[in-house]
Structures are given as structure tokens and as C-alpha cells.
């Protein structure tokens, strides 16, 4: 669950209304095995369980029509210009939080940055969804509704 873009991917169906952040680190040669053991040990000691739900859902998929200079890879940034770009992942988080809908990023847009003139970090926080989508369209990025198989998570009482 370390790569989720926003809280909408996790449904808390427990009676507990308090949110918990668990941070745990364990050194080991086999990181994947260590993570599985940590997850199992943590979940065994709780009165809740985590379920993975795979289903077909309608998602908003961000796609790029044509590559352009407004959407670039992080390694293409000139020194000292980092704040002029916003990660697509950050924009998706804002869209999910504002709409409550699922958003996926098409493969060519993964890890890309968008030149943010007109939609800086502060503006993005308060902007309307329609303004964000219009901003993306001007940069050659569109959102299309599509049914896809996605993986969400559910926290339930044991």
C-alpha cells in the first residue's frame, strides 16, 4: 500500500473512527519477505484485517495525446527550475481528493512532470476540478473515463 495516490483507495469499514499511521523499518537481505513478515505480524496483533479487493471500476485515465515541452521527465529539468514543474502523481492526488473518483496514469505519463505556469502548487490546492482538467488539456493531457481492473483495499473488523 506504499504507492497509493490518495486515501480513496482504502475503505475503512471498522467501527474505529481514528486513523493510524504505522511506520516500521526492518533491515534484511530479502526486503520483500521482510515486508510480508512485518505486515503479517502487525495485522495479527490488531483487531482489524486488511483485504485486497480486485474489481472492474470506472476510472479516469490520464493520457497524453502528443509529447510536448510542457510534460517532461524529471531528468530533463534544468538546474534550479524544479519548482516550475508539478509531478503528474501530485495532480492525480488532488483530483482524487476533490472528486472521490479513481484516477490512473497511462504508462507514457508515469513519473512525468507538468510545467505548472498558471497552476502552481498553491493554486492546485484550491482549484476547481474543471480548472485542473482544463489546465491539463492545455498541456496535451486528457482524462478519459474507462473501465479497468483495479486493486483497492478494505479495512474491516476481525
Amino acid at each position: 500500500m506504499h504507492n497509493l495516490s490518495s486515501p480513496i483507495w482504502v475503505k475503512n469499514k471498522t467501527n474505529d473512527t481514528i486513523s493510524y499511521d504505522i511506520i516500521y523499518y526492518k533491515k534484511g537481505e530479502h526486503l520483500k519477505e521482510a515486508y510480508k513478515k512485518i505486515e503479517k505480524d502487525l495485522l495479527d496483533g490488531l483487531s482489524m484485517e486488511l483485504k485486497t479487493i480486485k474489481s472492474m471500476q470506472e476510472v479516469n485515465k490520464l493520457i497524453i495525446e502528443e509529447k510536448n515541452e510542457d510534460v517532461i521527465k524529471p531528468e530533463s529539468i534544468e538546474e534550479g527550475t524544479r519548482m516550475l514543474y508539478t509531478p503528474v502523481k501530485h495532480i492525480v492526488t488532488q483530483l482524487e481528493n476533490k472528486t472521490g473518483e479513481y484516477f490512473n496514469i497511462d504508462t507514457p505519463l508515469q513519473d512525468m512532470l507538468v510545467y505548472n505556469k498558471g497552476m502552481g502548487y498553491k493554486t492546485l490546492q484550491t482549484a476547481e476540478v474543471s480548472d485542473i482538467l482544463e489546465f491539463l488539456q492545455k498541456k496535451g493531457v486528457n482524462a478519459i473515463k474507462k473501465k479497468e481492473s483495479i486493486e483497492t483495499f478494505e479495512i474491516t473488523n476481525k
Side-chain angles (χ1 to χ4, degrees):
M1 289 188 0
H2 67 283
N3 246 349
L4 301 179
S5 53
S6 74
I8 72 160
W9 294 86
V10 180
K11 305 292 183 229
N12 187 353
K13 293 192 170 186
T14 65
N15 298 331
D16 193 352
T17 58
I18 298 174
S19 295
Y20 297 94
D21 287 334
I22 299 173
I23 300 170
Y24 191 94
Y25 181 79
K26 184 175 180 178
K27 284 188 175 184
E29 291 178 24
H30 306 288
L31 195 57
K32 207 173 207 177
E33 291 174 26
Y35 282 148
K36 283 183 182 178
K37 177 158 178 32
I38 291 167
E39 181 180 322
K40 182 185 178 315
D41 291 349
L42 284 172
L43 291 174
D44 284 350
L46 298 174
S47 61
M48 62 183 91
E49 60 185 338
L50 178 69
K51 293 180 183 177
T52 301
I53 312 291
K54 291 183 181 185
S55 63
M56 290 296 287
Q57 296 285 333
E58 187 169 89
V59 298
N60 298 286
K61 187 155 195 134
L62 291 184
I63 61 168
I64 187 163
E65 299 296 331
E66 289 183 31
K67 291 188 178 187
N68 61 68
E69 66 272 359
D70 286 340
V71 182
I72 64 172
K73 295 180 180 185
E75 55 270 14
S76 300
I77 292 181
E78 292 182 29
E79 192 173 327
T81 62
R82 177 70 179 96
M83 292 305 292
L84 297 175
Y85 294 89
T86 303
V88 172
K89 287 180 181 179
H90 182 72
I91 296 170
V92 163
T93 299
Q94 294 301 313
L95 289 167
E96 286 180 343
N97 285 334
K98 290 171 186 281
T99 64
E101 297 176 7
Y102 300 111
F103 280 77
N104 273 342
I105 303 168
D106 197 25
T107 305
L109 270 176
Q110 292 289 333
D111 302 319
M112 297 294 271
L113 305 170
V114 178
Y115 180 57
N116 62 22
K117 184 174 182 184
M119 187 65 69
Y121 282 94
K122 285 184 182 178
T123 307
L124 186 59
Q125 301 291 326
T126 58
E128 296 292 324
V129 171
S130 59
D131 294 333
I132 298 170
L133 293 174
E134 183 181 322
F135 166 77
L136 288 172
Q137 276 185 324
K138 288 177 182 174
K139 305 296 182 183
V141 177
N142 292 306
I144 58 169
K145 292 211 181 270
K146 187 176 184 180
K147 280 235 181 224
E148 286 189 353
S149 177
I150 63 169
E151 196 173 84
T152 57
F153 303 91
E154 199 172 85
I155 301 171
T156 59
N157 292 322
K158 279 189 181 175

